[in-house]
Amino acid sequence: IVLPSWERETEFYERSPIWIDPGQAFGTGHHMSTVLALEKLENYLLSLNTIPETMLDIGIGSGILSIAACRLGVKKVKGVDIEEKSLEEVKKNTELNGLEGRIETIIGQPFMLNAKAPLVISNMLFQELLKVRYEFFRLTNPRGILICSGILKRQERELIEAMCQVGFNFCSSRESQKWCAVRFERK
């Protein structure tokens, strides 16, 4: 459950709370692409017997997906974003959620990351996802999972084809209000 930073006395209904201070970075949890990314991430992690130790968040924004991953058991997340403001937002939101030391961010492009991860997530627009598809492949462990959100339903087929061409297998997708999130597994 995603809540603004000032809402501390809310009933969680057995959900893990994520407090976000609505700032200038993308990712307050209200846009459908973020909702779908959170759902795909949660469904995937809850289906596992063993949670991955690490995750990469490409286009980390406010840090909402990284915070959710940590709440669901991922130990360490490394995120990258081209927006300098996101570094401040992630730090603030990480502290709000008591996750200091578990989420690391760098300003720049995905090619600046070196280590692979068993789980990679990205909530960016369609063209941005296509631009970094080879980086997704490089950064995802063999048999690792990539979750992409930020695409319109009409762009889903093209994204699936592009990702399969670089070495991913399509696993599943979820759609709501014309937006779509897709899960892939690296070959």
Side-chain angles (χ1 to χ4, degrees):
I1 183 169
V2 180
L3 302 164
S5 58
W6 57 86
E7 242 180 80
R8 295 291 182 159
E9 303 300 319
T10 300
E11 175 63 44
F12 303 134
Y13 305 102
E14 299 182 20
R15 304 292 306 213
S16 295
I18 299 171
W19 287 283
I20 296 294
D21 194 5
Q24 297 181 15
F26 182 79
T28 62
H30 300 296
H31 192 274
M32 189 48 62
S33 67
T34 307
V35 170
L36 290 168
L38 286 167
E39 288 176 0
K40 290 300 276 179
L41 178 65
E42 180 181 47
N43 289 339
Y44 173 67
L45 290 174
L46 292 178
S47 74
L48 300 174
N49 292 326
T50 305
I51 302 294
E53 290 281 320
T54 60
M55 182 182 90
L56 297 176
D57 189 344
I58 310 301
I60 193 169
S62 68
I64 191 169
L65 300 175
S66 296
I67 292 165
C70 289
R71 285 269 192 258
L72 292 165
V74 174
K75 301 280 187 261
K76 289 272 190 185
V77 177
K78 190 167 202 171
V80 64
D81 204 296
I82 60 171
E83 296 290 330
E84 268 195 59
K85 292 206 183 306
S86 70
L87 187 70
E88 299 162 24
E89 298 296 322
V90 172
K91 185 175 189 283
K92 185 176 5 173
N93 289 324
T94 299
E95 289 171 1
L96 264 173
N97 286 277
L99 297 170
E100 296 91 332
R102 292 181 60 190
I103 300 172
E104 178 187 345
T105 57
I106 63 167
I107 299 302
Q109 298 288 338
F111 72 83
M112 298 170 75
L113 299 171
N114 294 319
K116 293 180 185 284
L119 178 58
V120 177
I121 194 163
S122 185
N123 182 19
M124 299 190 303
L125 296 174
F126 176 69
Q127 290 300 326
E128 298 303 314
L129 293 169
L130 287 182
K131 283 181 192 173
V132 296
R133 66 188 180 272
Y134 293 100
E135 291 300 315
F136 288 145
F137 183 78
R138 181 181 68 80
L139 294 169
T140 307
N141 286 350
R143 307 213 24 100
I145 297 298
L146 169 66
I147 297 172
C148 293
S149 190
I151 61 169
L152 296 170
K153 178 64 178 167
R154 63 181 166 77
Q155 299 166 323
E156 177 186 19
R157 177 62 33 215
E158 190 177 344
L159 181 73
I160 291 170
E161 289 171 5
M163 292 303 182
C164 290
Q165 287 173 357
V166 299
F168 287 97
N169 289 321
F170 168 73
C171 295
S172 64
S173 66
R174 184 166 175 82
E175 176 204 353
S176 184
Q177 299 176 18
K178 297 182 184 175
W179 291 92
C180 188
V182 186
R183 181 165 61 97
F184 300 95
E185 181 179 68
R186 183 175 178 232
K187 295 177 184 175

